[in-house]
Amino acid sequence: MTTFHHVRRSAVAVVAAVVLPLALTACGSDGDTSDDSTAAASEQTNGANEESTEKSDSAGSEPFGPGCAAVPEDGAGSFEGMAKDPVATAASNNPALSTLVTAVQAADLVDTLNSAENITVFAPTNDAFAKIPEEDLNALLNDKEQLTKVLTYHVVGERLQPSDLENGTFKSLSEQELKTSGSGEEYEVNDASTVVCGNVQTANANVYIVDTVLMPGS
């Protein structure tokens, strides 16, 4: 009898030794499957979030403002065309900025602006220059030193995004400060000049087209 019971206990022990690892392995397999599913779902969620962020960023980078309607729809003067050229060249292809281009040429600033890296230009429209009495405008265009001071006052040595303009103070290339304010798609510079077409991209600059020429202090 003693021998029989000893053999029986040994058999049970052997069965247990075989079955228990198999059961643990099965549980581990189920856990891994769950982890894999969770990881896959997480990756899909992250991917969707990244795609959504990219779309949001892309939408936020579009030019805005009522003055954008005056920009040609195609060709070198269009938004797409301007993005391929440095800022002075890009402006020369936009009919609404022809007076500015004349001023830049008179001040010999074409190469300076085209060779600059990562700048922001507040670009007055032809109508902005037309607000200046003709006699005064002609005098300005013939005074290279003063003209250079005025034009460089419209340039900041960094690329400014629309959000940067909400309540900003920036040093211009003329070494004088200008202030910006606003939100959404409505911004002003020095509380005097309104951005009529903002966030226009060129190869080396962000351009904000404005409706009034900015005059630096003496």
Side-chain angles (χ1 to χ4, degrees), residues 46-198:
N46 290 338
N49 288 339
E50 289 175 1
E51 183 178 355
S52 176
T53 300
E54 289 174 359
K55 288 181 178 180
S56 176
D57 291 344
S58 175
S61 67
E62 295 296 321
F64 60 83
C68 293
V71 176
E73 294 184 2
D74 50 37
S78 67
F79 292 127
E80 184 177 357
M82 291 176 71
K84 299 176 182 179
D85 292 320
V87 63
T89 301
S92 70
N93 293 319
N94 188 324
L97 301 177
S98 60
T99 305
L100 173 62
V101 171
T102 297
V104 168
Q105 291 171 341
D108 289 331
L109 290 175
V110 173
D111 290 340
T112 299
L113 293 176
N114 276 348
S115 61
E117 295 184 4
N118 296 323
I119 59 175
T120 294
V121 177
F122 294 96
T125 62
N126 295 342
D127 290 340
F129 280 101
K131 293 180 181 180
I132 302 174
E134 184 176 0
E135 183 177 347
D136 294 340
L137 178 58
N138 288 335
L140 178 62
L141 293 174
N142 287 292
D143 184 341
K144 186 175 180 179
E145 182 178 353
Q146 182 62 22
L147 181 59
T148 298
K149 187 176 181 180
V150 170
L151 293 176
T152 54
Y153 185 54
H154 290 73
V155 184
V156 174
E158 60 181 305
R159 278 185 183 263
L160 300 178
Q161 304 303 319
S163 59
D164 296 325
L165 306 185
E166 291 181 1
N167 186 23
T169 299
F170 309 99
K171 181 176 286 188
S172 69
L173 295 191
S174 70
E175 298 297 322
Q176 293 186 302
E177 290 185 343
L178 53 81
K179 296 183 178 181
T180 60
S181 61
S183 62
E185 297 186 354
E186 297 182 359
Y187 297 95
E188 288 192 340
V189 186
N190 290 351
D191 296 323
S193 188
T194 300
V195 175
V196 295
C197 184

